[in-house]
Amino acid sequence: MSLIKLHYVRMNRYDYIIILTIVSVIFAGELFGAFVPIKIIGSLSSIYFVFFFRGWKKDYMKRIKVILAFFVLFLLHVLVSAFWISDVKNYLIASLSLYCYIFDFLLIFVCAQKANKPINSILHGWIVFLLLNLVCSFWEISTGNHFTTGSFQADAVERDIYGTWSNRVYSAVTYGNYNSYALLLCLVMLFVLLYIYFKEDLKNRLFAVFLFFCIVAILFINTSRGSLLSLLFFMVPLWYVIWRLDKIRYLILCFLVIGGTYLWLEYSDWIIFLIQRKLESRSGASDDPRWLLWKAGWDIAIKWLFIGSGPGSMMYEYAQENVFILYAHNLWIQLLVEYGILITCIFAFLYLKLLFFTLFSKDKFLRIIGLYLLLCWPILTIIDEGYMKSFHWIFFASVYSLYYCRKYMLWTK
């Protein structure tokens, strides 16, 4: 089949499954209860993979054998830790969620091998997902209302730029708090950037730039310091992409400068106020309670001899340490506390391996991913209160699938 025919081939059912799986992450909350769509997709796909899928041994196990071994170790730890777990309720919730997310990961990867346009589908899935989140965000910001699963800080009162006290303006959508949502938006920025590079027409590229400005606006409104720092480092891969768009780069750069200048002229007072308010909330890094949380997490890991206290045990263990916040606010500490040093080290190895093969790839598309994983993602590991969430799993499933498709299936669009 020629490259021209492949370029115009229509999407098949696997393309749509990829998009549906990514978009389903937004649907959560009391409306769904335990039947969250992304978990239902994971549980149904597990039935398919275990009982009906015949391609594991012949094809797919060879392609993803290291990650599969990591997932098996994850699940074995879940089973073994049942013998010493204290918080049974959270253990069951975390274990079942982990099981579903693993098969969500595998579903995206396998569908990417069977889809007609896997790269296109993954990027479109994240763009549609972003659009739905932006609609929800601007509704929250304009009305002051929040979804049930994002109303944690709805009663917080702060002084605004005019000196009056009012409810905090923020957006959390369905992710619990504004820090989690800010982290998610930083993850989505990677796919917006890849969309700019991957698409060849000006209309799609300018549309993606517009979406980038929308993300920046919400990040400043939420004023999560870690996400703003990640945004700052994001300028490096952004510049790398713009400079490789040939003649169109000047138009894109002009659009970015005009958009940035407009936002600064119109909202500079608010931007400076929001940043100063966040910086002045603590006198220094030593006052950040995260240091206390990380130290407590390290003490818990030592107490459990680095074998892990079990899935969903973080809150219980922090309560035992008499820490006033029951979350680690650190991906690495949470992994150490709940899953032990072996799983933490393997995850770090897989991350470094993916970073190396993307950052030093001859493929510029993969190099963009590498720059992001090097500069932006590490900062995002110390923002959120907890990290075993669906969008983290879908993020890495998408990134790894893109890596595999670009390395072994360069003809796919």
Side-chain angles (χ1 to χ4, degrees):
M1 188 180 292
S2 67
L3 290 175
I4 296 176
K5 289 182 179 179
L6 284 168
H7 181 77
Y8 290 103
V9 70
R10 291 185 177 182
M11 294 194 301
N12 60 17
R13 59 181 176 177
Y14 300 103
D15 291 289
Y16 291 110
I17 290 174
I18 291 172
I19 295 173
L20 176 64
T21 303
I22 294 171
V23 172
S24 67
V25 173
I26 194 176
F27 299 106
E30 292 182 354
L31 177 63
F32 301 97
F35 300 98
V36 178
I38 188 64
K39 295 181 182 179
I40 292 177
I41 292 173
S43 61
L44 292 177
S45 63
S46 72
I47 297 173
Y48 169 71
F49 283 126
V50 173
F51 295 104
F52 302 104
F53 189 59
R54 305 301 181 191
W56 280 113
K57 292 183 179 179
K58 185 172 65 174
D59 297 316
Y60 295 97
M61 283 190 70
K62 296 179 181 178
R63 301 177 187 178
I64 199 174
K65 58 183 178 181
V66 176
I67 292 180
L68 270 178
F70 176 60
F71 289 161
V72 170
L73 182 62
F74 237 130
L75 294 176
L76 284 175
H77 186 278
V78 168
L79 294 175
V80 174
S81 61
F83 290 101
W84 61 72
I85 201 72
S86 299
D87 190 342
V88 177
K89 178 182 176 181
N90 281 322
Y91 165 78
L92 291 174
I93 293 173
S95 299
L96 292 174
S97 297
L98 176 66
Y99 175 84
C100 294
Y101 297 154
I102 285 175
F103 282 98
D104 284 322
F105 185 107
L106 297 175
L107 179 66
I108 290 179
F109 177 78
V110 171
C111 285
Q113 315 308 306
K114 292 176 171 288
N116 286 339
K117 306 177 75 172
I119 297 176
N120 199 63
S121 298
I122 292 172
L123 296 181
H124 275 139
W126 282 94
I127 294 298
V128 173
F129 176 62
L130 173 59
L131 287 172
L132 291 176
N133 278 282
L134 291 177
V135 170
C136 296
S137 291
F138 289 118
W139 172 77
E140 287 184 281
I141 293 167
S142 61
T143 65
N145 298 317
H146 301 281
F147 297 94
T148 305
T149 48
S151 59
F152 174 70
Q153 294 124 324
D155 296 328
V157 178
E158 292 182 333
R159 192 185 300 273
D160 63 21
I161 195 172
Y162 305 110
T164 59
W165 291 91
S166 59
N167 288 335
R168 180 188 173 95
V169 178
Y170 73 92
S171 175
V173 192
T174 59
Y175 309 105
N177 61 75
Y178 64 83
N179 274 332
S180 298
Y181 183 49
L183 187 155
L184 171 65
L185 291 178
C186 289
L187 295 178
V188 179
M189 283 195 303
L190 170 62
F191 301 100
V192 172
L193 189 59
L194 293 173
Y195 190 87
I196 294 173
Y197 180 80
F198 188 72
K199 291 296 181 179
E200 298 175 354
D201 57 297
L202 180 62
K203 179 177 67 175
N204 275 303
R205 283 173 168 171
L206 291 180
F207 174 66
V209 172
F210 170 75
L211 293 179
F212 171 71
F213 277 121
C214 292
I215 292 175
V216 171
I218 296 173
L219 290 180
F220 273 101
I221 291 172
N222 281 0
T223 53
S224 166
R225 287 172 297 174
S227 63
L228 291 178
L229 184 60
S230 181
L231 174 63
L232 177 63
F233 284 109
F234 183 76
M235 295 300 108
V236 176
L238 177 63
W239 179 258
Y240 177 85
V241 169
I242 291 174
W243 206 246
R244 280 154 181 80
L245 297 180
D246 299 324
K247 295 181 180 179
I248 202 175
R249 65 171 174 257
Y250 298 109
L251 182 59
I252 298 292
L253 187 60
C254 182
F255 191 81
L256 282 168
V257 171
I258 292 174
T261 303
Y262 170 78
L263 289 176
W264 178 256
L265 292 176
E266 288 291 324
Y267 303 105
S268 59
D269 292 340
W270 276 100
I271 293 172
I272 294 173
F273 170 77
L274 291 171
I275 295 176
Q276 286 180 340
R277 184 177 66 183
K278 197 67 176 181
L279 292 176
E280 293 171 358
S281 62
R282 299 187 183 100
S283 58
S286 60
D287 296 327
D288 195 325
R290 283 180 172 83
W291 293 110
L292 176 63
L293 300 177
W294 298 348
K295 181 181 182 302
W298 179 256
D299 292 339
I300 294 169
I302 294 175
K303 181 181 72 174
W304 283 93
L305 302 177
F306 296 102
I307 64 172
S309 55
S313 63
M314 175 173 61
M315 295 176 62
Y316 176 85
E317 293 298 330
Y318 269 86
Q320 295 297 108
E321 293 291 316
N322 297 315
V323 183
F324 65 99
I325 298 176
L326 304 181
Y327 297 94
H329 285 269
N330 186 304
L331 166 65
W332 310 102
I333 296 296
Q334 183 178 352
L335 283 174
L336 271 177
V337 167
E338 295 189 341
Y339 297 96
I341 194 168
L342 178 60
I343 288 179
T344 304
C345 290
I346 294 175
F347 176 76
F349 166 76
L350 291 173
Y351 159 68
L352 292 173
K353 181 179 178 182
L354 181 62
L355 171 63
F356 178 83
F357 285 118
T358 52
L359 188 62
F360 296 101
S361 173
K362 295 180 180 179
D363 184 355
K364 295 182 177 64
F365 183 93
L366 293 181
R367 209 174 297 164
I368 297 167
I369 296 176
L371 286 171
Y372 179 90
L373 292 177
L374 175 67
L375 299 172
C376 304
W377 185 79
I379 300 169
L380 302 179
T381 62
I382 57 172
I383 294 177
D384 208 358
E385 83 280 6
Y387 278 87
M388 293 298 143
K389 296 181 179 179
S390 58
F391 59 80
H392 294 291
W393 286 87
I394 301 303
F395 170 80
F396 274 107
S398 301
V399 169
Y400 189 81
S401 297
L402 288 173
Y403 162 73
Y404 189 91
C405 289
R406 292 295 293 194
K407 185 174 181 179
Y408 300 106
M409 304 164 63
L410 283 174
W411 48 267
T412 55
K413 294 293 286 183

